[in-house]
Amino acid sequence: MGNVFGGGGHDLYMSNGGTAVFADTLMLAVTALALTEWDYRFAALIARQDQALMGSGAVGFLLEDVGWGENPTEWARNKRFVLDVTTLALDRHRWDELGYEPPFALKYLHRFRRIVAAFDPATAGGEPDELPAPHDVIPASCVRDRVLIPLAWCDVCMFCGRDRDV
């Protein structure tokens, strides 16, 4: 069982362990860069990839299902944010704090970045609802792990909520 992330007809399939590593590295990066409501909603989307919270093999998303904004300016800004988050993760931002060496993380992040770069947010379908709704998102942070806890209904960060040994 695994999880699929994709967009524009391109997919990234990862095992459950690979997905955990992918989400961990992205959460460290999104925490450093989130500033706007959309950024925090994207952080909440990353938090929902925590299989300890959502269930093994029950996560993943398609870029077509993400609400990228209302107009081309917002689409471009939000796509740039996702690319910047992925680039920061590729730079191994705070990986020394993970307590493990993330196997295959660079491969997954490079593939995801290529998928995002090639994706046109204008093609996102009708009523995109993959991003958590604004009322389900808060800009809260875990004191211990210094990462976002962006889901209003979750009281721990994705690192506190599961065993750190992936």
Side-chain angles (χ1 to χ4, degrees):
M1 186 179 285
N3 307 285
V4 177
F5 299 81
H10 303 282
D11 291 331
L12 168 60
Y13 174 84
M14 289 178 277
S15 67
N16 290 328
T19 300
V21 168
F22 180 71
D24 286 354
T25 58
L26 284 176
M27 183 53 70
L28 292 171
V30 77
T31 293
L33 298 178
L35 296 172
T36 70
E37 178 183 283
W38 193 93
D39 300 350
Y40 285 104
R41 291 177 68 201
F42 183 76
L45 176 62
I46 299 304
R48 281 197 336 208
Q49 306 317 303
D50 180 5
Q51 296 170 99
L53 182 65
M54 304 303 287
S56 293
V59 300
F61 59 85
L62 296 176
L63 298 174
E64 287 89 351
D65 296 334
V66 172
W68 290 93
E70 301 297 320
N71 57 59
T73 301
E74 290 180 11
W75 301 337
R77 186 263 171 222
N78 296 335
K79 179 178 175 177
R80 170 74 349 214
F81 175 75
V82 175
L83 291 170
D84 290 347
V85 165
T86 308
T87 298
L88 186 59
L90 281 163
D91 288 342
R92 299 173 184 249
H93 177 71
R94 294 181 54 195
W95 285 18
D96 59 320
E97 298 174 35
L98 288 172
Y100 66 91
E101 181 60 32
F104 310 111
L106 290 174
K107 176 180 135 183
Y108 296 147
L109 290 165
H110 276 294
R111 174 81 176 135
F112 182 69
R113 192 174 194 299
R114 283 191 305 273
I115 291 169
V116 173
F119 181 72
D120 180 1
T123 65
E127 296 293 325
D129 61 0
E130 189 65 48
L131 282 183
H135 65 271
D136 287 330
V137 178
I138 56 172
S141 186
C142 173
V143 174
R144 185 186 100 179
D145 294 305
R146 299 178 355 267
V147 296
L148 291 171
I149 311 169
L151 293 165
W153 46 270
C154 190
D155 59 355
V156 295
C157 79
M158 54 194 287
F159 296 105
C160 288
R162 60 182 153 83
D163 184 5
R164 293 180 74 124
D165 296 327
V166 175

